[in-house]
Amino acid sequence: MPANNLSPSVADALHRRRSVRAFTDAPVDPAVLRSIFAAAQRAPSGGNLQPWQVTLVTGEPWDRVKTAVAARIALGREGYQPEYDIYPKGLTEPWESRRFGVGEALYASLGIPREDKAARLARFMENYRGFGAPVMLFLHCSRIMGPPQWSDMGMWLQSVMLLLVEQGLASCPQECWAMYGQTVRETLGLGADQILFTGLAIGHADDGQAVNQWPVPRVELDEVIDWQGF
């Protein structure tokens, strides 16, 4: 639980949740994780399919995944094994500016200029170490599932992230693992019938790191909501 033993409201948890990109090496209590996942089972799903399947790793299994994926990354573009397009092809405005802007703000928080390609690449590689998180959650589902069930998985994932905040923990959703989906599946012994949706790094935030402090912008309500009949 948070230090003051008071659970945050849902609104407070939403405001406090962020994609943490620097974790401490403090372990995570598996009993706390079990309670979080038990609560997240209340997430809605069409027809009550509950399509989410989860593989949770720490210690040696987590190290095996990092090592296997690092070997694929070393192959360059030939090593890619994308499960799906993380971003739409031909992304247009305003979405392209939002994507570009958040990336630039992240590197600015680290003091890495645009022209320092080596430093940017080194920082990007931290994705595949889970930013130092001691626990990695891999979320996957049967290949027979379609877009509505992927939406269900997103609702389950958001539930987990807010419950982690309630327990004083942090997370970072990482679709980047889907770029090497086959390697992740083979390393974890997942069947070929499974498709990897995302990873979720879990641990204790290193709040002293600048990468965990920069403000992440959100667009104004009137850009996304058309009020009719109000």
Side-chain angles (χ1 to χ4, degrees), residues 58-163:
T58 191
E60 191 274 335
W62 177 206
D63 288 340
R64 281 195 288 111
V65 173
K66 288 182 281 189
T67 298
V69 170
R72 291 297 303 186
I73 293 173
L75 298 176
R77 292 191 175 275
E78 292 182 3
Y80 288 171
Q81 304 160 315
E83 298 282 81
Y84 57 89
D85 292 328
I86 294 177
Y87 301 106
K89 289 183 171 66
L91 195 62
T92 57
E93 295 298 337
W95 306 287
E96 177 64 18
S97 290
R98 292 175 190 170
R99 180 188 174 195
F100 178 81
V102 75
E104 289 303 300
L106 187 155
Y107 287 117
S109 75
L110 295 164
I112 302 176
R114 185 169 178 78
E115 59 272 13
D116 192 345
K117 304 297 185 184
R120 288 195 170 205
L121 178 60
R123 181 62 205 180
F124 178 76
M125 290 302 296
E126 287 299 311
N127 278 281
Y128 295 102
R129 301 181 186 96
F131 304 111
V135 175
M136 179 60 67
L137 179 157
F138 289 106
L139 180 57
H140 47 97
C141 70
S142 169
R143 290 186 184 275
I144 70 172
M145 300 300 175
Q149 288 75 53
W150 283 56
S151 173
D152 294 342
M153 287 197 292
M155 289 188 283
W156 180 88
L157 190 68
Q158 174 77 326
S159 299
V160 168
M161 289 190 288
L162 296 181
L163 289 162

Side-chain angles (χ1 to χ4, degrees), residues 206-221:
D206 187 344
D207 293 324
Q209 298 295 321
V211 74
N212 289 336
Q213 298 174 357
W214 59 280
V216 182
R218 292 295 188 265
V219 300
E220 297 297 326
L221 284 184

